[in-house]
Amino acid sequence: MRAARFHEYGGAESLVIEQAPDPHPGPGEIRVRVAAASVNPIDWKLRSGALHQIFPLDLPGIPGRDGAGVVDEIGDGVQGVSIGDRVFGLGGVTGATAELLILSAWAHTPAMWNDEQAAGAGLASVTAMRGLDALGSLAGRTLLVEGAAGGVGSAAVEIALAQGVGTVIGTASERNHEFLTSLGAVPTTYGPGLAQRLATLAPHGVDIVLDTAASGSLDDLVAIAGDPKRVATVADHAGGQRLGTHVADAVNDSTLLSAAAELGGQGRYTPRIEQAYPLERIADAHAHAERGRTRGKIVICI
């Protein structure tokens, strides 16, 4: 199969397109012929070597945590899916930017999502749901999402609204405020003066906070919420542990993926794609992702 690989840790220019061995699913797994894969922060952090002590890789490595495509091989014990089905989901920490990908968690792709949208849904939706679930019932509450324009943040906005939250206030740069409004959020800028801006936007206070940005603002977010247990972070694990907030990790959970797919089928969650790159331009996609401040997801079309 064709795949993007890196043979040593380094910059985006270390990525090459070459032939790699075909993977095959084990028990409880499926293989998909990949239509598109998403680019997540963990991808370029693994490629650069920044996470080598936490996730040591056997090089060469294939970046990519999640993707979407058509099922073409099914492992032992798998039920509820057939060859030819369109699915999206999660595999290991690497492997998605290739023609073939092993998934250990998946859901059927809603008919109204194209391949790029399905590719952008896996890790973003699971991460958003885990963070929101940590905050308890959302019904009628005012939620602040820090970094609301990114892949996880934009998913969290739509999913929270679908789950009955009262109001979502989202932080983002001014260029993304119209985008947040289109999602159903009340936009504001991040950084100094946030508490004062929120006093105007939410005069009765913010009930709960989800941090998706790891921008160094977690201390301020706890102060705004008034209690670390009213704050969850999916991005600043060290800060969350220091302050006593909820810390949520993504997990390969087909139940959460199916819940995201159900919302997608209802038109209540649509993965937002900032830009799609062909596989041959994966270095450009990684460089784009590393610059940050994206509006939705960056995906690779295989």
Side-chain angles (χ1 to χ4, degrees), residues 146 171 188-198 215-217 220 224:
E146 178 82 327
T171 68
T188 190
T189 51
Y190 47 79
L194 178 59
Q196 290 73 26
R197 293 190 293 278
L198 290 171
S215 60
S217 63
D220 293 336
I224 287 167

Side-chain angles (χ1 to χ4, degrees), residues 13-14 33 62 81 107 128 133 157 173 203 231 235 265 268 270 282:
E13 69 279 357
S14 66
R33 186 160 293 279
I62 299 173
V81 68
D133 287 349
V157 169
S173 58
V231 178
R268 303 170 79 186
T270 302
I282 186 173

Side-chain angles (χ1 to χ4, degrees), residues 26-112:
E29 298 176 335
I30 63 174
R31 188 178 78 176
V32 298
R33 186 160 293 279
V34 181
S38 76
V39 178
N40 300 289
I42 191 173
D43 300 340
W44 58 261
K45 290 176 182 179
L46 284 169
R47 186 214 68 230
S48 71
L51 299 178
H52 76 276
Q53 292 184 327
I54 303 172
F55 297 112
L57 301 179
D58 292 326
L59 299 180
I62 299 173
R65 179 83 170 79
D66 56 343
V70 173
V71 178
D72 83 335
E73 195 171 319
I74 298 174
D76 291 342
V78 172
Q79 297 180 341
V81 68
S82 302
I83 301 294
D85 287 357
R86 290 181 71 225
V87 299
F88 69 102
L90 299 161
V93 295
T94 60
T97 47
E99 290 179 325
L100 299 170
L101 169 64
I102 303 301
L103 299 180
S104 59
W106 62 86
H108 285 89
T109 300
M112 62 182 62

Side-chain angles (χ1 to χ4, degrees), residues 1-21:
M1 67 175 183
R2 292 174 71 244
R5 298 206 293 184
F6 55 100
H7 289 256
E8 59 185 17
Y9 295 122
E13 69 279 357
S14 66
L15 292 163
V16 295
I17 310 302
E18 59 189 11
Q19 290 295 316

Side-chain angles (χ1 to χ4, degrees), residues 236-290:
D236 187 356
H237 292 91
Q241 290 166 359
R242 173 175 57 84
L243 293 167
T245 72
H246 299 284
V247 176
D249 282 312
V251 292
N252 286 24
D253 188 330
S254 294
T255 301
L256 293 178
L257 293 169
S258 294
E262 183 174 356
L263 293 177
Q266 297 167 356
R268 303 170 79 186
Y269 165 49
T270 302
R272 309 297 168 141
I273 307 303
E274 174 167 304
Q275 191 162 345
Y277 290 85
L279 180 61
E280 291 72 18
R281 290 186 60 201
I282 186 173
D284 293 334
H286 271 228
H288 185 166
E290 287 187 65

